[in-house]
Amino acid sequence: MEIARPEEDTPPANVLAQSRGGPTVLRILLGTQLRRLRTAKEISREDAGYEIRASHAKISRLELGQVSFKERDVADLLTLYGVDDEGERATLLSLARQANNPGWWHKYSDVLPSWFEVYVGLEEAASIIRTYELQFVPGLLQAEEYARAVIMLGHGNAPVDEIDRRVHLRMTRQQRLTGPNPPRLWAVVDEAALRRPLGGTHAMRAQLEHLIEMATLPNITLQIVPFARGGHAAAGGPFSILRFTGADLPDVVYLEQLTSSLYFDKPEETDHYMAVMDRLCLEAAPASETPRYLRRILDDLG
């Protein structure tokens, strides 16, 4: 996962104010600042690693926000990079301390794989979440009974208490949508996902009614791609795009696989996915038609 941005002159004092989320984004922000400082002094990763008794690969992971920070290492790097202003040092050292605090999702580490933990941290900090789903209702819009049915597909042999924790994690993630300063969620869902009877008729009824209710929220836009549209732009499968407040973080595209995930943040990659998402929104039925469409599917359930 490469979350980095071309060198910018964003004042470090703005860094703490820009973050809305947990330690994942804080680590990325701090890593971006350290990379900016290192390259400005034309110091190699090898020399920076030698300063903190580490390899150049460790410096790369630090700058990409993939690992936690030792405050002593950050202090040594700031000295190497010529940062002697006490205010600037204090801001970045404070950021290092906060970046090491576990997010609320840490208590679910027993059921949360590391590759998805990164996504949960990014989702927590995103200001805009755009997602396309082909097979399932998006996780952030799943009703509890439906979510349980989806989770059982991949973890059917797991103990009941583990399934309960996975469901609770999903429900907890959804609280941001209705909490203070919520992100904007723009979801495009293929009609197939809404007609696939996961969990039985009762679960699907509850799910469709939940979608009708969620679609009324001012921060949620829900569009449906009808069967009648035939083929469409996202032939490759489901994906999500996360956007963040502030200039220090690039857009991130997330693609989930069976046992891993892919993250893209380079403009030549994210721009392509953004263009596909925009075309999907044009091909889908207008959001104003979504409640009527959902009620029609409800009626078809009998």
Side-chain angles (χ1 to χ4, degrees):
M1 170 186 172
E2 183 175 344
I3 305 286
R5 199 164 181 94
E7 289 73 24
E8 298 175 1
D9 295 325
T10 304
N14 292 335
V15 172
L16 290 175
Q18 289 174 355
S19 175
R20 295 178 44 177
T24 303
V25 169
L26 293 176
R27 288 199 304 266
I28 295 169
L29 284 168
L30 179 56
T32 299
Q33 294 297 326
L34 290 175
R35 178 174 179 268
R36 179 182 63 83
L37 292 167
R38 178 182 61 78
T39 55
K41 291 292 185 179
E42 298 183 347
I43 295 173
S44 69
R45 288 191 177 94
E46 288 77 6
D47 288 343
Y50 181 81
E51 183 69 18
I52 63 170
R53 302 155 295 281
S55 66
H56 68 90
K58 173 68 175 294
I59 294 297
S60 179
R61 290 192 295 271
L62 287 172
E63 292 181 351
L64 295 174
Q66 295 177 340
V67 294
S68 59
F69 293 86
K70 292 182 180 178
E71 191 172 343
R72 182 189 66 184
D73 289 344
V74 175
D76 290 346
L77 288 174
L78 292 178
T79 299
L80 176 66
Y81 301 158
V83 179
D84 51 16
D85 179 87
E86 289 303 318
E88 185 175 347
R89 290 179 67 92
T91 295
L92 293 172
L93 290 173
S94 175
L95 183 58
R97 288 191 294 272
Q98 294 185 50
N100 288 332
N101 292 331
W104 62 262
W105 54 90
H106 181 73
K107 63 182 179 181
Y108 295 98
S109 58
D110 58 322
V111 297
L112 188 62
S114 58
W115 54 266
F116 190 62
E117 182 177 353
V118 173
Y119 176 80
V120 174
L122 292 171
E123 180 184 82
E124 179 74 8
S127 58
I128 300 175
I129 302 168
R130 299 185 69 180
T131 186
Y132 166 70
E133 279 289 352
L134 176 66
Q135 187 173 5
F136 305 115
V137 170
L140 289 176
L141 294 175
Q142 291 179 5
E144 185 169 341
E145 190 176 354
Y146 178 94
R148 185 176 298 274
V150 173
I151 289 168
M152 288 289 290
L153 289 176
H155 305 279
N157 296 323
V160 174
D161 60 339
E162 178 181 326
I163 298 298
D164 289 343
R165 284 180 59 72
R166 291 181 182 277
V167 172
H168 192 261
L169 169 61
R170 190 160 300 184
M171 297 299 104
T172 303
R173 284 169 51 207
Q174 296 178 6
Q175 292 176 8
R176 268 207 72 208
L177 293 176
T178 54
N181 198 23
R184 181 181 179 191
L185 173 64
W186 191 343
V188 180
V189 182
D190 195 278
E191 183 177 349
L194 303 174
R195 291 192 178 273
R196 183 170 288 108
L198 284 173
T201 301
H202 182 271
M204 282 307 300
R205 275 195 164 278
Q207 178 60 70
L208 292 167
E209 290 167 353
H210 180 67
L211 287 176
I212 292 172
E213 179 182 356
M214 296 299 286
T216 65
L217 297 180
N219 58 308
I220 294 179
T221 299
L222 176 60
Q223 291 183 262
I224 299 169
V225 182
F227 285 141
R229 292 291 193 272
H232 48 73
F239 63 96
S240 296
I241 304 173
L242 305 176
R243 175 160 288 179
F244 308 90
T245 302
D248 283 311
L249 287 173
D251 293 345
V252 174
V253 172
Y254 170 78
L255 284 76
E256 186 170 321
Q257 301 174 321
L258 283 177
T259 58
S260 63
S261 59
L262 296 174
Y263 295 86
F264 302 115
D265 78 315
K266 295 178 180 177
E268 60 268 25
E269 297 167 330
T270 59
D271 288 352
H272 172 71
Y273 279 94
M274 187 65 74
V276 170
M277 185 67 81
D278 288 341
R279 288 202 301 274
L280 276 169
C281 293
L282 292 174
E283 294 168 357
S288 60
E289 296 182 14
T290 295
R292 179 180 59 83
Y293 218 104
L294 291 171
R295 291 189 182 94
R296 183 191 306 166
I297 298 174
L298 263 174
D299 291 340
D300 290 345
L301 281 175

